[in-house]
Amino acid sequence: MMKITCPFCGARNENEFHRGGEAHIARPQPSMDTSDDVWGEYLFFRDNPKGIIVERWRHTYGCGQWFNVTRDTVTHEIKAVYDIEAPKPAIDAQ
Amino acid sequence: MQYSTFNLIKEGFVGHKNWPAAWTTPALKKSYDAVIIGGGGHGLATAYYLAKNHNLTNVAILEKGWIGGGNTGRNTTIVRSNYFYPESAAFYDFSLKLYEGLSNDLNYNIMLSQRGQMTFAHSQHDLEMIRRICNAMQLNGVDASVLTPDEIALRIPNLDVSRKARHPIWGAVVQERAGVARHDAVAWGYARQASKLGVDIIQNCAVTGFQIDRGRIKAVETKRGIIKTDKVGIAVAGHSSVIAEMAGFRLPVQSYALQAFVSEPLKPALDTVVVSPATGVYVSQSDKGELVFGSALDLYTSYAQRGNVPVLEDTVAGLLALFPSFSRVRMLRQWAGICDIVHDSSPIIGHTPVVGMYINCGWGTGGFKAIPAGGYTFAHAIAHDTPHPLAKPFTLDRFKSGALIDEAGAAGIAH
C-alpha cells in the first residue's frame, strides 16, 4: 500500500486518493485558432516516463483537495508533494 | 520435425533423442530487411506472418528478456470477440477465427477451449445494456445470446444467483465461441514456425536507441551492437512510450499494471469464462484446475510488474461475492503485466511519425485475444507500408482527427 502525504490531512493510504494524470498541461489558446494537431496533442498525448513523473492527485475520500506529486513509476516512491499552482519543479533524473 | 502421432511413436522407439529445439538461437547479423522489437505474442506473430504471407524472411525479433515473458505470459488467457462497434467486431472476430485454426496452422497445440464467455447483468439497467450489446454483436455477425438467471444457474451451479446476493444475477450475454487458450503455447508456436521460416529470434537483446536520418529509420542500436535496417516494427505493449521516446515521438498511451491471480488447483468447478462488470472480476478455471482471475487496473501509472494490495483485495472480494464457496481456496500466484492504455481502448496499428517505423500498441488489458489479428495486420502494414483494411480505423492519426473508436463500454470491465 502506497502512502501519500496530503498537504492538508497528512499521510494516508493510496486508495483514499484519485490520480488526475499529468500535471502542468496548458490549454492551447486561443482554442478557435488551434490546429487539429495541436488540439489532439493537448487532449490525448501524455508523458509516460519509466522513471520520474509529475502528476496531479486528489484526496477524493478525504479533504477533496487537488495537489501535485512527483513520483517514480518504477519504485512508486513519492519524491515531492507540492501546491497545484506551483511551477513545475526541475526533475532530477537520478 | 513435424509434431504428429507418427513422429511421437517413431521417437518413442529411439528414446525421444531426435527432437530439435523448437526455435534456433542464431547469431545477430549486421543488417536485416525488417527488425521487430518485442518478442511477445504480437511480435512473434508479426514475424511469422511477415515470413508466411509476405515472403519477408530476413527478419530479426529483438527481445529484451525471453520470448513470451511479458504480458503474453502474464494474462488470464481469454479469447473473445464480443465488441460493440463494427470496426472492432470485424477485427477481433478475425482474430478469433485465426485462433480457431491456429493449432493446425502452427502445428502446435495451443489448447484452445471454446467454453463460452458470460458477461453478467446485475440490475435491470445492466440487463438492458447487455441486450443492446447482444444485438450489436449479432448485427456485426458475431455469435451472441442472452441467458436467463435459471439458465445461468444450470451452467454455473456454485454461482450465487439468489435475490439476496450482493450483486444479484439478472442475466448474461454469452459468446459461445469465446474461451481460453494456452498463452505460452501461442508464443512458442509462433516462435517455432517463425524460426523455421528463417526469422532470427534474438533474446536478451535490449534496444538502446535508433539512428534516424532526415526522419527515416536507418539502424537500431542494441546492447549487442548496431543493426542496419529500413523497417522497424515496435510491439512492446507497456513499454511503447519508452521506445517511442528513443525515436523522438510521443504516444497517447499511459502504462498501468494489471494484476492476475491463480489459486491452488481444484476439481472441475467452473467450465466457462465469467465476467462481472459490477465487481470488475473475470474468472475461469484452467485445465490444471486452478482458478485464473483478475479485475481492474491498478490505481496509478506504473512500470513495476508486481501490482498493489488494494486491487488484490477488491478482486478477491468481488470473486467471493459471486462464488461464496471459493472462500476457502488458497491463492497460489499473483503477478502483474504493464498495459498500454489508450483513451478509446482500441489498438494502434501502423505508421509512426518516423518513416519506416511502425507500431503495434494500445491493446491495453486485452492484447492476448488479438495476437493473431494484431500480428497479421501489423505484418501487412510493415510489408506494404499501408494499413491492412481491418486495421485502417486503428491508426495513430485518429488521435488528431478525432475519429476514436470508444470501446471502453463494450470491453466488459471499465478499465
Side-chain angles (χ1 to χ4, degrees):
Chain A
M1 178 84 74
M2 187 165 72
K3 293 260 191 203
I4 300 172
T5 306
C6 168
F8 189 75
C9 307
R12 297 292 186 90
N13 288 342
E14 66 181 54
N15 47 1
E16 291 187 16
F17 295 84
H18 173 79
R19 179 182 178 271
E22 187 183 339
H24 303 289
I25 294 174
R27 181 188 170 107
Q29 299 285 5
S31 46
M32 289 304 285
D33 299 334
T34 303
S35 69
D36 287 354
D37 274 10
V38 172
W39 193 249
E41 188 85 16
Y42 161 67
L43 283 181
F44 301 120
F45 289 69
R46 294 290 180 267
D47 284 347
N48 187 25
K50 188 175 187 175
I52 306 294
I53 190 168
V54 180
E55 58 193 6
R56 299 176 304 169
W57 283 76
R58 180 176 183 238
H59 193 189
T60 311
Y61 304 106
C63 63
Q65 185 176 163
W66 282 97
F67 54 94
N68 286 348
V69 158
T70 52
R71 180 176 64 89
D72 190 317
T73 59
V74 180
T75 65
H76 298 170
E77 185 192 352
I78 291 178
K79 303 280 186 187
V81 175
Y82 61 98
D83 192 83
I84 192 98
E85 289 185 341
K88 189 174 182 174
I91 293 173
D92 178 7
Q94 303 304 310
Chain B
M1 197 181 343
Q2 191 80 358
Y3 293 158
S4 66
T5 311
F6 175 75
N7 279 334
L8 190 64
I9 293 167
K10 199 181 89 187
E11 281 303 305
F13 285 113
V14 293
H16 294 286
K17 286 188 179 130
N18 300 319
W19 295 108
W23 54 88
T24 59
T25 307
L28 188 60
K29 288 192 269 182
K30 293 263 180 253
S31 75
Y32 286 95
D33 293 340
V35 170
I36 309 295
I37 304 170
H42 282 273
L44 293 161
T46 303
Y48 169 65
Y49 291 117
L50 272 176
K52 185 187 172 213
N53 296 348
H54 307 287
N55 210 20
L56 208 63
T57 56
N58 185 24
V59 173
I61 298 174
L62 307 181
E63 167 53 48
K64 181 172 68 173
W66 60 93
I67 59 166
N71 296 356
T72 304
R74 292 165 181 267
N75 62 77
T76 46
T77 76
I78 298 166
V79 296
R80 57 182 178 87
S81 60
N82 50 354
Y83 280 74
F84 187 79
Y85 290 105
E87 297 88 345
S88 316
F91 185 89
Y92 287 102
D93 209 50
F94 178 65
S95 201
L96 188 53
K97 281 175 186 153
L98 287 175
Y99 261 125
E100 285 169 336
L102 202 58
S103 289
N104 279 332
D105 186 28
L106 297 179
N107 178 231
Y108 203 105
N109 186 1
I110 62 155
M111 296 166 77
L112 176 70
S113 166
Q114 292 176 290
R115 56 185 70 176
Q117 189 222 287
M118 286 186 203
T119 304
F120 292 144
H122 294 291
S123 66
Q124 177 68 43
H125 316 291
D126 282 0
L127 192 59
E128 286 164 14
M129 287 310 287
I130 65 165
R131 285 196 180 124
R132 178 168 178 254
I133 286 171
C134 183
N135 287 340
M137 286 170 63
Q138 288 174 347
L139 286 170
N140 289 329
V142 177
D143 64 304
S145 51
V146 171
L147 300 179
T148 64
D150 289 343
E151 289 170 323
I152 297 166
L154 275 178
R155 285 176 63 163
I156 316 176
N158 47 4
L159 179 72
D160 185 0
V161 293
S162 67
R163 277 288 172 224
K164 283 187 292 183
R166 173 68 184 83
H167 300 282
I169 306 292
W170 283 66
V173 56
V174 61
Q175 183 185 16
E176 303 288 1
R177 283 166 62 236
V180 291
R182 172 119 200 269
H183 51 346
D184 293 330
V186 173
W188 298 337
Y190 274 121
R192 175 165 164 264
Q193 287 304 329
S195 178
K196 202 168 159 187
L197 292 170
V199 171
D200 285 0
I201 298 170
I202 314 289
Q203 302 185 82
N204 297 310
C205 183
V207 169
T208 55
F210 298 101
Q211 293 180 2
I212 295 165
D213 182 28
R214 276 163 287 179
R216 187 177 283 275
I217 185 75
K218 291 291 174 196
V220 181
E221 296 169 356
T222 75
K223 291 220 160 137
R224 290 163 62 173
I226 292 168
I227 306 161
K228 286 199 163 46
T229 184
D230 294 331
K231 286 174 185 280
V232 169
I234 304 166
V236 297
H239 281 68
S240 296
S241 299
V242 176
I243 296 285
E245 196 185 347
M246 287 180 194
F249 61 92
R250 294 172 95 205
L251 291 170
V253 169
Q254 296 272 279
S255 296
Y256 283 86
L258 179 68
Q259 303 186 61
F261 312 90
V262 167
S263 77
E264 62 186 339
L266 312 174
K267 297 271 186 187
L270 179 63
D271 66 354
T272 187
V273 182
V274 161
V275 176
S276 159
T279 62
V281 170
Y282 36 91
V283 56
S284 64
Q285 190 174 20
S286 74
D287 292 339
K288 280 190 284 183
E290 305 145 327
L291 298 173
V292 182
F293 58 102
S295 73
L297 290 165
D298 278 9
L299 303 170
Y300 43 85
T301 57
S302 174
Y303 283 90
Q305 288 174 310
R306 52 175 185 266
N308 63 24
V309 178
V311 170
L312 185 156
E313 287 175 345
D314 286 353
T315 308
V316 172
L319 180 70
L320 297 189
L322 298 170
F323 297 96
S325 60
F326 290 163
S327 66
R328 307 299 291 178
V329 175
R330 284 168 295 189
M331 302 262 280
L332 201 62
R333 290 195 305 277
Q334 168 270 7
W335 64 89
I338 304 305
C339 297
D340 36 346
I341 305 296
V342 293
H343 292 79
D344 59 354
S345 303
S346 289
I348 301 167
I349 314 163
H351 292 91
T352 71
V354 178
V355 179
M357 192 177 260
Y358 308 86
I359 194 154
N360 162 323
C361 72
W363 302 102
T365 58
F368 180 72
K369 73 174 96 65
I371 285 173
Y376 196 100
T377 55
F378 193 42
H380 185 280
I382 293 170
H384 299 293
D385 192 41
T386 173
H388 186 277
L390 279 173
K392 234 176 204 159
F394 302 113
T395 58
L396 190 53
D397 301 342
R398 74 177 187 273
F399 295 97
K400 297 291 171 71
S401 69
L404 304 190
I405 299 160
D406 189 4
E407 275 295 352
I413 305 299
H415 284 300

